[in-house]
Each structure stands twice: as C-alpha cells, then as structure tokens.
Amino acid sequence: MYHYAFALSRQIPWLADAEGKVVQVGPGWEEWIGQPPEQLVDNGWVKLVHPDDVLRLIKSRRESLAAGTPYQCEYRIKAADGSYRWCRSSSAARRDETGAVISWYGTTEDIHDRKEAELALQGHARVLEMVAAGQPIGEILAALCLLAEAQLPGAKCSILLHDSDRGLLRHGAAPNLPASYNAAIDGLSIGPVTGSCGTAAHSRTSVIVTDIASDPLWTNWRDLALSCGLRACWSKPIFSRSGDVLGTFGFYYGDPRTPTRDEMERMDAVLHLAALTVERQRSEVALRESEEHYRYSVELNPQIPWTADSEGNVLTTSSRWNQMMGVSPEETAGSGWAKAVHPDDLPLVREKWFEAVRTRKQLDVECRACLADGGYRWFRSRAIPRLAEDGTVLRWYGTVEDIHDRKLAEERLHWAAYHDDLTGLANRRLFRERLQQALDEKSSAGHATGLLVMDLDHLKQINDRFGHDAGDALLKEFAQRLRSVVRSVDTIARLGGDEFAVILPEIAGEGDVAAMADAILARMQGPLKREGKLLDCRTSIGGALSVGFAMSPEELQKQADLALYRSKTSGRGAFKMFVTTMREESQRTASALEVAARAVASDWIVPFYQPKVVLATGALGGFEALLRWHHPRSGIQSPEKIAPAFNDTELGTAIGERMRSCIFKDMRGWLDAGLAFGRIAINASAVEFRRDNYAERVLDDLRGMDVPARCLEVEVTESVFLGSGAEFVERALRTLSAEGVTIALDDFGTGYASLSHLKRYPVDAIKIDRTFVNGLETDADDAAIVRALLSLGRNLGIEVVAEGVESAVQATLLQRMSCDLVQGYHFGRPMPAEDITSFITSWAGV
C-alpha cells in the first residue's frame, strides 16, 4: 500500500541525523529549486529560508527535536533565480529498541501555487466583505490598490475614475503615491497622448510605458513623475459589463521595466474583481487538482489517510484520527466511523459514500465530526478507488482534512453579504429576497403582506452635533427597539443610512400595518441617554399593503416610500398609509421635475421684472426679478408649474445660477446705458444654501459682469433657516451684506420665529406678505398687522416693502401709514428685460 502511495507522490524525501542535521536529500530538490544537494546538507538549507520565516521554523524544529515528536511547518525557500517559493516540510523520528531517536525522516512538498492562491483569495474576500458591508467607494478602491500591490511586489497602484460628463479622469485611490502627484493628475484629460492612463482610457486598451523618461506619451507629465520617483507606468482600462470605460488601473514602478506574463495576469486578476467567483472557483479547482497528487499521502501529510475495502468498509485509519476523535482503530473499522459524524450530516455522508462505492467514482464530502472533547469541527473527506486490470475495485484510499477555519470564514462572509454590519439586521439584498418570498408564498384566504419603511428623524443633526459614534449608537438602539416590537415572523432590514424597513407577512389587512406602525412610534418616544446627552429616537413611517399575488416587491416598496415621503412632509414623527392619490402627486412632481430639467437644459428660464416704488416720492426704488420660463409652443409660463424643482438641490441650484446669469447680464446692459434702475432683488431658495458657497458664487458672478454689489438685493424666506443647509445661511448672508448686498426677508409675518430672525441675521428690508395687503381695506386685523409691521421696521431701522398692491386705495392707505416701498399690479406687472428701458424713461411717478 505505501509503495503504491509513494509511487504517485511528488513529495521530496530527505534524511537527518538524531540532532536534526540533514544527511541526505532526494534528487527532486535540485530539480525544484535549482540548488545542488550539497548545499542543503547539515544546516545549509537554513540559509535559503526566507528571513521572515527562519525564527518560526527553527523554533518548531527545536521543539520537535527536544520532544522527539513529528513536526510540520510551512515556509518560503529561496530558489536559484533569487525568488522564494512556499513549501511544507514534515518529519518523524525513527527510534531504536530503547526508544532513542536514531534519525529523522522527512518530506518537503511544493505548495507555492496553492499558497499564493489562498493569499489572493483572502485579499479578494476582504474586498468583497467591504462591498457587501456598503463601505465608502474610496475605502474599497484603496483596499483594491493595496491588494494589487501585494500581488505585484514593487508596484504603487492608482485608480482613476472616468467623469463621463467632463471627459476627465478623477482621482479614485492611490494610497502609496505622493499626495502632490495625486492632486496634479486629478482631472486628467482623456486623449491619444495623455500619459499612460489618459491614453489607455482613450484607446480602450492596455498602455505599457516602460520608461517614463523617454516615452512621448509622458511629455507633459514627465518632470512631475520623475520628481516623485516614478520611472515606469502600466495602465489598463476598467470596463463595465456593457463595455463602457469606468476608469483606469495604473501600476507604477521606481525603475524602468516591462511586465512579465505573470504580472500581466496578476493585473488582470485585480482588474476584474467582478470575476472573483470564477477566480475562486479556479483556485478551488487548482487546489483539488494539486491535492489529487497527494491523495495517497502517508501520515506526514496534513490530510489524515484512511483505507477501505471494495465494499466501502473502513480497514485502517490514522492514529492521528483516532486520537483526535478519542476512539480506537477497532471502533472506527467497518462502519463504526459513522458514530463520529454529526447526526445532522450523517444521512448526506452515507448517501455520498454508498453512491461512490456503487459507481466507483471518487468521494468528496464535507461534514462535522465529534472530537474527543465533545466539540464538533468541520472536515472534508475525499477518497478514490484503486482498480485492478479488469476494472474491479481493489481498495479505497481516502483522506480527511480539517476545514473548520475555512468553513467558519465562508459562513462569516455569507452572513456579511446578507446583513448590515453595524446593526446586525438584514441588509438591502436580504430584504429584497425576503420581500419577494413573502409575496410569492401562497397564503391562506384573506391574508396579505404588509411593508413599513421608516427614516430615523434628525440623524444627520446628531452626527454633526455629537459625532458619528453617537449616530452609530442611536442606529443600534433604534434597531434593538424594532426587534422588541415586531413579531418573530417579521423581517427587519436596514436599507442604508437612516432608512429601515419591516416586512409583515401573513397579516389580516391594513389595520395590522397601522397597529405595528403605532407600536413602533410608541416604542421610539423615549430618547436614548448616552454620556449625559439625550438622543431623539423618533421616526417617520410609511406603510403599504399587498393583497393577492400580482404586486412586485419594487411596486410595494415604492408605495411605502411614497407614504413615507408624505409622512415626512407632514411634519415627521408620524405614520402614513399609502393611498392612490400619493402616486398621482408623485407623478405630478416627477413631471414637474422633468419639465424643469428640460427648461434648464434648453435655456427656457428667463427673468421678468416687477417695479418697486418709493411711496414718499413716487420714484422707482428698483425691481424684483421674478422667474418665468418660455415654452416653445405655450409661451411664457409661471413658476408654479415647475415649483417642485425649487426643492431639488441640483435643479434648484441650476435654476438659481441661470437666473443670476440673465439678471446680471441685464444689469450690466442697463448700467452701460446709464439707466437708474435702483436695486434688483433676486430670490434665493433654500436648496441654494445647502452647499456652503452661495455667497461666493453670487459675488463671483457680480465681479464677472462688473456689477456693483450695491445694485443687488437678495430675498429669502424663512424656509432657508429651517431646512437642510440652514447652518450655512448665516455665514452666506453676512458675507453678502459685508460686500454691500442688501438682504430682504420675504413673506414676513407668515412664517415661524420671524422676530428672532431679525435679531440674528443682517436683514435690511422686510416684505409684508400680500395676504395682509389684500385685506387692508376691509379687515381691521390685517390693517393692524400692517401698522405693527411698519412700526417694527421703523423702530429697527429696517426698510419695509408691501407686496401685492393692486389698487389706488391700498396705495393711499400704505402711504398714510408711512410704508417705504410698494410693489404690485397697480404700479406695474412683471415685464421682460427688453421693456425695462422704455418703462424707466417713461416713468412719471405716482
């Protein structure tokens, strides 16, 4: 049996004396590492061991020599070409009749390919865990760079991302390149002669520059690269599944050089991380093929050997197996081995073993086995038959391998792929599967599936005020409270950020959805106490219900999202159930956003100007610029039709920029014509303050058109002080005011905490809302409010403007009340810029 085993083994034998000094080595050593046997005898082989592995290997050998026990160790050994290869050495002692060690017999096997495959697989798994956990893209790209550098020693890697809108390559990650270099190439153009990366993205193929100092592709960046110690750059384009260029993967070296075939393959491996599963499968195949050569291993092999007769009855087992399991060879023989297998795994193991015996095909099965201490570990058992010339089975040769750590790692990776790492809840992927399952399962008559989606209110403010540790603690507390409320059959998921969901299978109807939502709202009423601070746990909830089998998960979630949106816009901290009118409202909003986007892209946005009049003198005090848009078929349109766009950050900001561009251009033309137009008021929406550079953008635009800041007035409503980005408003208004721009508070008296705003912010003017002016003649309360606001303005030294003046009587009453400025249809309707010149020159006062 052992002769047959050694005949198929590719392990390299060696012999050492009782002190461990090598006496003789097999001929395979010279074939494997290119070193003559003479250099390996005595302790000469130690000089070839990798410096990082020497101490560990020597310690293992000393302990083995001292105890006289077998040892096994994995380490790297130096080949004739200077490279290192992974190997595994094992040895056992030969003793005389007194038990004294006479000599040591050992084997060494080449495990380099398998070891490197394992290390690469671990790196890929780490990146996959980051992707499954939803970590930031920058961190994932940096991890990819580090993984590539580990696979390509000496390389410094960079990932540039394709900005398709601008046709540029932007910095993605390059953890080991100088920060100055990364900043310099951020925004690299794509073209035929733009370094390695810009050219690779342009040509859609690999670009290998072996010497930056002489390559014409690097003419414009040569000095920069050389100053950073970079002499070679290989770049590969990164493609999407559809073939679009997503970016480039660059590999830099400090010396001129050309990649080897192996390096090209390694670059492709990290480049195509999407093919990780295939690579892993290939690694597994390579591992199995490698292990087939050692299937008939002896006791020194890490796989524990066993044999069985042609009928599948175990004949012999390794002493290591018997000691590990705490059983004798006699107890394992025949079918006694089954006593060690976990009861849950035994049916599968028996089925596969008997099928292998019947078909004479190899066995490969994973199962748990009970150890001597009572604990279970995962093992992999494999076997193959030795056949006679007539094809009959002579004997089965098998091995058992401990795969417990790998199995646990796979389970952890699988768990991470389906769960949120912070809260332990189901993630978006598992949520979709569970929701689909709930909708697909046949329910008894009268039952339905409910869905709740919810946002944790004010999480951003808590992160900003107390730090992300406090925000994380709040998210975990929120998840724990959800667990305490829902049923065991329900699924709780964290969909991302502060968004959570609860799947409610097998419920009677809408009442159960509402009852669960009320229970959650009640459970979240109490704040979280953390380090002496109270953190608000309240939430807004949207609910939806699916009856029957026609609704898709996407449709049900969309309904719940619409209900959540209505809940948040209704004041937060409440529950709303989906109704069909919500979809109609959503469609109207989507249509308005689509029209607004088209209006911005097609330059349909135009300002109209309404005059403001000084009541005391009748002179023009200026104009308010009002948004209009010109539909190519329907003509001038009011802003109400695209009102939802003003709450969209991208569209609202774009509309504001378009309006400023037109207004400042008109102002420049009037200044050149010598027209006295006073101040032009522009309206700033809340979304324009969400980026902390509104004041700088306005002032830059004024300087670009050479328009004095004193000619401009910025009107804001109280909504800018309450929403997202409110923390940037005060700085922006003070910056504008310091440059001479006046600040007006619009719709004054209709909002919240207006008086506190007058005290806190640099307000130069307040505008009385038209609702009060409309009732000036007939409503004593409105008249009293107007008088009070005028008195407030005079006492604070703030200019007061009355809006919506549509009659001479209203104008007269306001004049008697000493109102500073008025505007409305009585004095002039909003007009296009081309009418302003004639209006000003013909103005005769009031």
Side-chain angles (χ1 to χ4, degrees):
M1 176 184 69
Y2 284 95
H3 172 76
Y4 188 86
F6 273 109
L8 295 178
S9 176
R10 296 182 61 185
Q11 296 175 343
I12 304 172
W14 49 268
L15 175 68
D17 61 20
E19 286 74 32
K21 296 180 179 180
V22 174
V23 176
Q24 183 180 0
V25 296
W29 276 95
E30 186 168 6
E31 176 185 348
W32 177 41
I33 63 172
Q35 302 284 4
E38 294 77 17
Q39 292 191 14
L40 303 174
V41 298
D42 201 352
N43 289 324
W45 61 275
V46 178
K47 298 177 183 178
L48 302 178
V49 177
H50 194 286
D52 294 343
D53 301 339
V54 169
L55 294 179
R56 174 171 52 83
L57 180 59
I58 290 178
K59 179 182 178 182
S60 178
R61 280 180 54 80
R62 284 177 177 173
E63 292 175 351
S64 177
L65 291 172
T69 57
Y71 88 94
Q72 180 177 289
C73 192
E74 294 182 357
Y75 57 93
R76 289 162 290 182
I77 192 163
K78 190 174 184 179
D81 62 2
S83 64
Y84 284 91
R85 295 190 62 83
W86 280 96
C87 65
R88 176 163 54 201
S89 289
S90 306
S91 73
R94 176 187 175 190
R95 304 174 185 272
D96 61 15
E97 61 275 5
T98 67
V101 174
I102 301 175
S103 59
W104 292 83
Y105 291 93
T107 63
T108 298
E109 58 179 314
D110 181 356
I111 64 169
H112 187 76
D113 291 340
R114 185 174 68 184
K115 192 72 175 181
E116 285 213 330
E118 290 174 356
L119 294 175
L121 186 60
Q122 291 170 7
H124 286 204
R126 285 193 297 271
V127 173
L128 182 59
E129 288 176 354
M130 295 178 70
V131 174
Q135 293 194 18
I137 185 64
E139 295 180 13
I140 298 174
L141 296 181
L144 271 173
C145 288
L146 296 177
L147 174 62
E149 291 169 0
Q151 295 294 305
L152 296 158
K156 294 180 179 180
C157 295
S158 166
I159 296 177
L160 297 179
L161 301 177
H162 181 207
D163 184 342
S164 57
D165 293 334
R166 300 182 180 180
L168 302 174
L169 293 176
R170 305 305 302 270
H171 172 71
N176 288 318
L177 285 177
S180 59
Y181 182 80
N182 292 333
I185 65 171
D186 186 18
L188 181 68
S189 61
I190 297 175
V193 191
T194 51
S196 298
C197 295
T199 306
H202 173 75
S203 63
R204 301 172 58 85
T205 187
S206 300
V207 174
I208 307 300
V209 172
T210 59
D211 190 352
I212 291 175
S214 59
D215 197 292
L217 295 181
W218 282 81
T219 301
N220 295 331
W221 297 273
R222 180 174 296 116
D223 293 341
L224 171 66
L226 296 180
S227 68
C228 294
L230 307 176
R231 295 296 305 275
C233 179
W234 316 331
S235 181
K236 284 179 168 288
I238 304 172
F239 294 109
S240 67
R241 292 183 180 181
S242 60
D244 297 327
V245 174
L246 301 179
T248 59
F249 213 136
F251 305 82
Y252 292 86
Y253 286 88
D255 298 307
R257 56 168 301 180
T258 301
T260 64
R261 177 187 295 271
D262 180 63
E263 287 171 331
M264 293 293 289
E265 293 174 353
R266 290 171 183 261
M267 285 189 286
D268 287 337
V270 295
L271 187 71
H272 302 292
L273 192 55
L276 180 62
T277 302
V278 176
E279 293 298 324
R280 182 174 181 179
Q281 289 175 340
R282 290 178 180 177
S283 298
E284 287 289 332
V285 170
L287 179 61
R288 285 195 294 270
E289 290 178 351
S290 174
E291 290 170 346
E292 286 296 327
H293 296 299
Y294 308 101
R295 185 172 298 278
Y296 309 114
S297 306
V298 291
E299 288 288 339
L300 293 178
N301 198 290
Q303 289 88 16
I304 302 173
W306 56 270
T307 63
D309 62 22
S310 59
E311 301 299 322
N313 300 304
V314 170
L315 298 175
T316 62
T317 55
S318 166
S319 59
R320 284 189 293 154
W321 172 261
N322 297 324
Q323 293 170 4
M324 188 183 302
M325 299 296 116
V327 296
S328 65
E330 293 74 20
E331 292 176 292
T332 309
S335 60
W337 56 269
K339 298 176 182 178
V341 178
H342 193 288
D344 293 345
D345 300 338
L346 185 57
L348 175 64
V349 175
R350 285 186 182 277
E351 177 186 350
K352 288 203 169 187
W353 177 225
F354 294 149
E355 178 67 14
V357 171
R358 185 183 67 82
T359 61
R360 295 180 295 179
K361 293 182 179 179
Q362 68 179 27
L363 169 73
D364 192 338
V365 65
E366 296 178 356
C367 65
R368 289 161 290 179
C370 184
L371 306 183
D373 61 6
Y376 282 93
R377 288 185 69 84
W378 279 96
F379 290 88
R380 180 182 184 184
S381 183
R382 286 169 288 182
I384 194 169
R386 180 161 65 100
L387 304 177
E389 292 183 0
D390 61 359
T392 59
V393 176
L394 297 176
R395 183 164 294 186
W396 285 86
Y397 293 87
T399 62
V400 176
E401 178 185 4
D402 186 334
I403 61 169
H404 192 72
D405 293 338
R406 191 197 77 190
K407 199 74 174 179
L408 293 183
E410 290 177 351
E411 291 175 356
R412 286 194 297 269
L413 182 58
H414 183 270
W415 187 93
Y418 284 91
H419 292 81
D420 173 53
D421 60 342
L422 178 65
T423 63
L425 299 177
N427 62 10
R428 184 179 293 272
R429 179 180 182 182
L430 182 55
F431 163 76
R432 289 294 180 87
E433 292 184 6
R434 291 278 179 86
L435 184 56
Q436 183 69 65
Q437 180 182 353
L439 294 173
D440 288 345
E441 287 180 349
K442 293 183 178 179
S443 304
S444 58
H447 283 70
T449 297
L451 176 63
L452 296 174
V453 294
M454 61 203 76
D455 278 356
L456 182 56
D457 293 341
H458 311 306
L459 177 63
K460 182 181 186 302
Q461 290 86 331
I462 290 173
N463 282 332
D464 293 343
R465 184 177 178 185
F466 302 115
H468 285 273
D469 289 343
D472 289 347
L474 181 60
L475 287 169
K476 289 190 284 188
E477 173 66 15
F478 187 81
Q480 188 57 39
R481 293 187 184 186
L482 282 177
R483 291 188 182 97
S484 69
V485 175
V486 304
R487 305 171 301 168
S488 60
V489 296
D490 299 333
T491 296
I492 314 171
R494 182 186 179 200
L495 303 183
D498 62 352
E499 186 180 0
F500 292 79
V502 178
I503 303 172
L504 305 171
E506 295 293 325
I507 59 175
E510 185 175 313
D512 289 345
V513 179
M516 180 60 72
D518 290 341
I520 293 173
L521 290 174
R523 185 67 181 88
M524 301 304 171
Q525 284 299 312
L528 167 65
K529 296 180 180 179
R530 183 179 184 273
E531 299 178 357
K533 302 178 182 66
L534 296 179
L535 306 181
D536 191 355
C537 276
R538 286 179 296 180
T539 181
S540 301
I541 307 177
L545 185 71
S546 172
V547 180
F549 304 94
M551 186 174 293
S552 68
E554 293 77 16
E555 177 63 20
L556 185 61
Q557 186 177 359
K558 184 176 181 180
Q559 289 185 0
D561 286 337
L562 290 172
L564 173 61
Y565 177 78
R566 174 62 63 87
S567 174
K568 291 192 291 186
T569 56
S570 300
R572 292 184 177 274
F575 164 69
K576 294 290 183 182
M577 192 71 187
F578 172 79
V579 293
T580 55
T581 55
M582 293 180 182
R583 184 189 306 280
E584 296 168 359
E585 180 181 341
S586 174
Q587 290 172 345
R588 287 195 298 269
T589 298
S591 177
L593 292 176
E594 182 180 355
V595 172
R598 189 175 177 188
V600 171
S602 303
D603 286 338
W604 293 348
I605 304 295
V606 293
F608 270 45
Y609 299 91
Q610 185 173 37
K612 293 192 290 185
V613 177
V614 180
L615 269 181
T617 64
L620 282 174
F623 295 84
E624 180 181 0
L626 301 172
L627 184 144
R628 299 290 186 269
W629 55 285
H630 189 281
H631 192 275
R633 292 189 302 274
S634 304
I636 296 298
Q637 304 292 308
S638 68
E640 284 74 15
K641 292 187 177 181
I642 59 171
F646 304 142
N647 296 321
D648 181 88
T649 300
E650 297 299 327
L651 280 176
T653 301
I655 290 171
E657 291 176 349
R658 170 62 183 170
M659 283 288 288
R660 288 200 307 275
S661 174
C662 295
I663 293 166
F664 294 171
K665 182 179 179 181
D666 292 340
M667 293 168 70
R668 181 66 260 165
W670 299 331
L671 287 170
D672 292 340
L675 291 177
F677 56 82
R679 288 197 306 267
I680 303 297
I682 64 172
N683 292 281
S685 63
V687 297
E688 294 185 80
F689 290 95
R690 289 179 186 168
R691 299 169 182 167
D692 190 19
N693 62 348
Y694 175 73
E696 288 74 13
R697 295 202 312 272
V698 171
L699 294 173
D700 286 344
D701 292 344
L702 284 172
R703 296 186 191 102
M705 295 304 298
D706 194 22
V707 173
R710 57 179 169 76
C711 296
L712 180 66
E713 182 171 274
V714 172
E715 290 187 9
V716 295
T717 62
E718 289 178 323
S719 62
V720 304
F721 305 132
L722 304 177
S724 175
E727 64 272 22
F728 305 136
V729 174
E730 182 174 1
R731 192 192 73 80
L733 296 183
R734 292 194 180 282
T735 300
L736 291 170
S737 181
E739 293 291 327
V741 176
T742 59
I743 307 300
L745 188 55
D746 200 6
D747 298 337
F748 188 75
T750 61
Y752 170 77
S754 298
L755 296 180
S756 66
H757 296 155
L758 294 180
K759 182 178 178 181
R760 177 176 177 181
Y761 299 101
V763 177
D764 301 294
I766 57 176
K767 301 188 73 174
I768 302 175
D769 188 69
R770 66 180 63 248
T771 57
F772 300 123
V773 175
N774 287 342
L776 194 58
E777 305 172 49
T778 59
D779 192 319
D781 290 338
D782 285 346
I785 291 173
V786 172
R787 280 193 296 270
L789 294 178
L790 290 169
S791 177
L792 177 67
R794 284 193 297 272
N795 291 330
L796 294 177
I798 296 175
E799 186 177 72
V800 180
V801 183
E803 295 183 295
V805 180
E806 298 184 355
S807 69
V809 175
Q810 292 173 344
T812 301
L813 291 173
L814 288 168
Q815 188 175 29
R816 291 174 183 173
M817 295 178 184
S818 300
C819 182
D820 299 311
L821 291 160
V822 291
Q823 70 180 90
Y825 286 179
H826 178 63
F827 301 99
R829 292 177 176 271
M831 64 192 79
E834 54 265 27
D835 294 348
I836 293 297
T837 300
S838 61
F839 181 84
I840 293 176
T841 56
S842 63
W843 178 256
V846 293

